Amino acid sequence: MLNYLIAIDKPSGMTSHDVVAKLRGILSQKRIGHAGTLDPFATGVLVVGLGQATKLLERLTAEDKVYEATFALGTETTTDDVEGEIISQKALSAEEREQLLSAEFANARLTELKTWTEQIPPSYSAVSVDGTRSYKRAWKEAKEEVEASLSARSISIYDAVLLNIEDSEGGEILWTVRLHVSKGTYVRALARDLGRTLGCGSYVKTLRRERSGYIGLADCITLDTLQKAKDECAHQSVSVERHDSEENDTLAHFLSEHALNPYEVLNMPFRYVTELDLKKARFGESLYNTDATSAGKIIKPKPEDDVALYNEEGLWGLWKVKDQLSLVCDKNFPEPIACVEVPYGF
């Protein structure tokens, strides 16, 4: 089984589940999952766990995100994005257009976004109310009724920067912005609420996730690149009469060159384990709390800290400091997660 963390640059037109399904076909492996869902029209960083690495995904969904988004001012849609049906449009006056095309005005409004601490999720979202997904209710009920039933959620908007303003041929004013937001912040809801605050309506026309936690676009590979690598492995196997196991080894080597380093993306200390400690760990026995590496420094983990156990083969488990002296098991991996590189091993 392939056990890697990778990042996919998700193309537009696919759901996050579609990406996982495509990967299952390419890699001939069922155990694959993703962290942090992207809407079908959105593109960008989608973190994927292969094999045992799926057990790390819940820790990666809690990270902050950076997006580049285009807000179309003057129109509101059912889904608050480009895929929804138009439910209202405003004929902007010359004075309104001049104001919305002003970079000074736009920057002032975006600065105000950083004071927002709550938002109502979009009516078309996976938020559950009384056991029913919001998007399923939205198919049957009015958008306003669904929004009224959803509870406000705490959010943080760390930064909102104007990148461009454009007067589109369709009459909409387009603001392209870069947003740095907390986990669980819906960019679609930001566009919706900004449009209502401005009195003209707004929706997200384009959306690209540039960063998820410590993982950025530079860390991503595309599905096409991965498919080509698989095809080349298969072609080489046929040309030199290699077996499937050798083909899988070649594909694993390709993945190892593009996989994420768990040490760099998990915000926790990493402790090197000896064969004796690893044997104890795999039987669930507690371990002594010794030094570990965090942010390139040797530290002594504190009570309640999470600690990752690793050796030359990879990441073997996630443990927790019970007290100053001992570690207890949180998760053990039957097979190690590959591509762990720690700057100060001992």
Side-chain angles (χ1 to χ4, degrees):
M1 182 163 61
L2 299 169
N3 302 294
Y4 297 94
L5 271 179
I6 62 173
I8 297 294
D9 187 348
K10 189 189 89 65
S12 181
M14 297 182 73
T15 67
S16 299
H17 180 73
D18 290 339
V19 172
V20 169
K22 180 71 171 178
L23 287 170
R24 285 172 178 157
I26 295 173
L27 302 175
S28 301
Q29 177 169 307
K30 290 184 178 180
R31 191 166 189 177
I32 301 177
H34 67 82
T37 300
L38 278 173
D39 292 322
F41 78 99
T43 66
V45 179
L46 183 68
V47 182
V48 173
L50 310 179
Q52 297 298 321
T54 56
K55 298 177 182 179
L56 302 178
L57 295 176
E58 62 181 343
R59 294 174 177 269
L60 298 175
T61 58
E63 302 291 350
D64 59 317
K65 312 288 193 299
V66 174
Y67 296 93
E68 182 179 306
T70 300
F71 293 169
L73 307 178
T75 303
E76 187 165 332
T77 70
T78 52
T79 57
D80 306 315
D81 62 38
V82 69
E83 295 189 315
E85 297 179 4
I86 294 175
I87 54 177
S88 69
Q89 279 186 307
K90 182 175 182 180
L92 300 172
S93 67
E95 183 178 356
E96 288 174 321
R97 298 188 71 81
E98 181 180 2
Q99 186 178 58
L100 293 175
L101 287 168
S102 164
E104 182 180 0
F105 176 81
N107 279 315
R109 301 292 79 75
L110 292 175
T111 297
E112 291 172 0
L113 286 185
K114 293 187 283 186
T115 67
W116 293 7
T117 57
E118 290 187 335
Q119 73 173 190
I120 301 292
S123 54
Y124 283 83
S125 66
V127 175
S128 181
V129 179
D130 297 328
T132 302
R133 297 291 187 184
S134 177
Y135 66 84
K136 291 185 178 180
R137 293 184 55 208
W139 290 337
K140 299 179 181 180
E141 303 175 27
K143 177 180 180 178
E144 294 78 6
E145 293 177 5
V146 177
E147 287 178 5
S149 69
L150 297 173
S151 299
R153 296 190 166 195
S154 296
I155 61 169
S156 294
I157 302 174
Y158 307 115
D159 204 6
V161 178
L162 179 69
L163 301 178
N164 187 52
I165 297 180
E166 181 182 348
D167 191 352
S168 73
E169 294 181 0
E172 299 168 337
I173 306 296
L174 305 180
W175 288 5
T176 301
V177 300
R178 177 166 289 115
L179 300 163
H180 180 193
V181 299
S182 61
K183 168 200 173 184
T185 302
Y186 284 93
V187 177
R188 288 185 288 136
L190 291 180
R192 176 200 67 200
D193 294 341
L194 177 63
R196 291 176 181 177
T197 299
L198 296 172
C200 61
S202 176
Y203 69 90
V204 178
K205 194 176 187 72
T206 66
L207 183 64
R208 183 160 177 77
R209 183 188 286 163
E210 297 184 330
R211 182 169 65 79
S212 179
Y214 297 97
I215 304 164
L217 289 169
D219 301 307
C220 293
I221 58 175
T222 66
L223 291 173
D224 286 344
T225 298
L226 195 52
Q227 181 65 65
K228 288 178 182 177
K230 173 64 179 294
D231 293 342
E232 288 176 5
C233 290
H235 176 72
Q236 291 173 9
S237 294
V238 171
S239 62
V240 298
E241 297 183 352
R242 293 192 301 185
H243 298 293
D244 288 344
S245 60
E246 293 175 302
E247 178 184 333
N248 291 338
D249 289 343
T250 304
L251 187 58
H253 177 71
F254 173 84
L255 285 170
S256 69
E257 294 180 333
H258 295 85
L260 302 171
N261 178 1
Y263 173 76
E264 293 180 347
V265 300
L266 292 173
N267 187 24
M268 65 176 66
F270 270 59
R271 169 184 163 178
Y272 184 88
V273 285
T274 64
E275 285 298 321
L276 179 59
D277 278 347
L278 182 57
K279 184 176 181 180
K280 290 181 179 179
R282 299 187 76 172
F283 280 101
E285 298 179 27
S286 62
L287 302 175
Y288 284 114
N289 180 27
T290 59
D291 289 348
T293 305
S294 179
K297 298 179 181 179
I298 304 298
I299 65 165
K300 183 68 172 290
K302 300 176 182 179
E304 298 306 312
D305 280 353
D306 294 317
V307 179
L309 303 184
Y310 80 99
N311 64 11
E312 293 82 1
E313 295 182 74
L315 177 59
W316 286 99
L318 304 180
W319 286 51
K320 187 175 288 290
V321 182
K322 181 179 181 182
D323 49 50
Q324 197 64 39
L325 298 176
S326 62
L327 295 173
V328 293
C329 181
D330 179 16
K331 288 184 176 70
N332 268 343
F333 309 137
E335 300 176 8
I337 298 170
C339 297
V340 175
E341 293 184 20
V342 179
Y344 296 99
F346 55 91

